[in-house]
């Protein structure tokens, strides 16, 4: 887990300009599309936001580095909690959160390879939107439900689910097909929910 957090911070430092460009593009589009703000106010807001985003030091940079690091343990905690509840319900036996979290921590190791593969490509191509799954099809507008959903169907995400299921096979003394079915259902359900939430907020800002 700490290795992934370290790589997340390093990746954020390497891609600081690309991250800033992506944030600026999203903010600029959101403000320019807001009919309730006058042109003078838009220019004033964009000017202040530009200075904030493209500052490579200070509170903004520190916030980006910290948030990128802690996002991973937060993901692991939530995935551990919901996968445990789901598995306890569907697999006919129960396990403890600590054991489940250990399995999940190991299942997230492919994220190390994900950083090692994606970060150099993103830096060289000067493009943050590098996908290792169906997001590469670029179907739908960015932020739309279908775009969010397809972007979530990713090689590394599927690998993490598979490794979690393999660990649960031993932890719950269950058949691998059963654990794959249970965790696959949970993963798809969570992907649908978060894709819808993302599309909702994208619609508000757009």
């Amino acid at each position: 887990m700490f290795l992934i957090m370290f790589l997340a911070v390093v990746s954020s430092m390497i891609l600081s300009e690309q991250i800033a460009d992506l944030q600026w593009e999203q903010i600029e589009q959101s403000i320019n599309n807001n009919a309730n703000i006058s042109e003078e106010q838009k220019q004033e807001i964009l000017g202040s936001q530009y200075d904030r985003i493209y500052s490579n030091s200070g509170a903004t940079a520190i916030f980006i580095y910290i948030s990128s690091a802690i996002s991973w343990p937060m993901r692991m905690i939530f995935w551990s909690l919901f996968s445990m509840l789901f598995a306890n319900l569907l697999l006919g036996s129960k396990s403890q959160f600590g054991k489940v979290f250990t399995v999940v921590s190991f299942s997230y190791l492919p994220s190390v390879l994900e950083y090692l593969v994606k970060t150099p490509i993103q830096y060289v191509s000067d493009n943050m939107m590098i996908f290792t799954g169906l997001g590469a099809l670029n179907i739908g507008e960015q932020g739309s439900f279908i775009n969010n959903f397809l972007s979530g169907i990713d090689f590394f995400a599927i690998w993490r689910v598979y490794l979690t299921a393999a660990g649960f096979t031993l932890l719950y003394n269950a058949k691998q097909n059963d654990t794959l079915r249970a965790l696959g259902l949970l993963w798809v359900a969570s992907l649908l929910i978060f894709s819808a939430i993302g599309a909702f907020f994208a619609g508000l800002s757009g």
Side-chain angles (χ1 to χ4, degrees):
M1 179 174 68
F2 293 108
L3 177 58
I4 300 175
M5 293 172 67
F6 172 75
L7 288 175
V9 173
V10 171
S11 178
S12 296
M13 290 179 175
I14 294 173
L15 301 173
S16 59
E17 292 186 8
Q18 288 82 358
I19 293 172
D21 288 341
L22 182 61
Q23 289 178 325
W24 172 247
E25 181 183 340
Q26 293 171 341
I27 290 175
E28 189 177 29
Q29 181 180 2
S30 174
I31 293 175
N32 285 331
N33 290 340
N34 193 328
N36 297 321
I37 304 176
S38 67
E39 289 300 321
E40 185 178 345
Q41 288 176 318
K42 287 180 180 179
Q43 294 304 316
E44 183 179 345
I45 295 172
L46 288 172
S48 63
Q49 290 296 318
Y50 185 91
D51 293 336
R52 179 184 66 83
I53 290 172
Y54 284 97
S55 173
N56 292 323
S57 60
T60 301
I62 293 173
F63 175 77
I64 291 174
Y65 300 150
I66 292 177
S67 60
S68 63
I70 66 174
S71 66
W72 286 104
M74 293 301 296
R75 292 183 200 182
M76 294 180 191
I77 289 171
F78 279 106
W79 178 245
S80 298
L81 178 62
F82 285 103
S83 62
M84 181 188 70
L85 294 174
F86 221 65
N88 287 350
L89 180 65
L90 297 181
L91 297 180
S93 61
K94 297 184 182 298
S95 185
Q96 298 175 341
F97 179 82
K99 294 179 180 179
V100 171
F101 185 77
T102 300
V103 170
V104 169
S105 297
F106 280 104
S107 74
Y108 268 73
L109 285 177
S111 299
V112 173
L113 182 60
E114 183 178 8
Y115 271 117
L116 295 177
V117 170
K118 283 187 176 181
T119 301
I121 298 175
Q122 289 169 324
Y123 181 78
V124 172
S125 65
D126 195 26
N127 180 18
M128 289 295 296
M129 309 305 287
I130 300 297
F131 299 100
T132 50
L134 296 185
L137 298 175
N138 197 27
I139 296 176
E141 295 183 4
Q142 186 177 345
S144 66
F145 173 80
I146 186 63
N147 186 268
N148 292 339
F149 181 74
L150 293 177
S151 296
I153 303 177
D154 179 86
F155 170 75
F156 292 100
I158 294 172
W159 193 357
R160 288 191 291 265
V161 173
Y162 175 81
L163 290 179
T164 305
F168 275 28
T169 300
L170 301 175
L171 193 61
Y172 284 88
N173 193 26
K175 296 180 180 179
Q176 188 163 5
N177 286 342
D178 292 338
T179 58
L180 278 172
R181 189 179 302 111
L183 293 180
L185 180 62
L186 174 62
W187 176 61
V188 171
S190 63
L191 193 54
L192 288 169
I193 292 171
F194 285 111
S195 296
I197 293 173
F200 174 76
F201 284 106
L204 289 180
S205 62

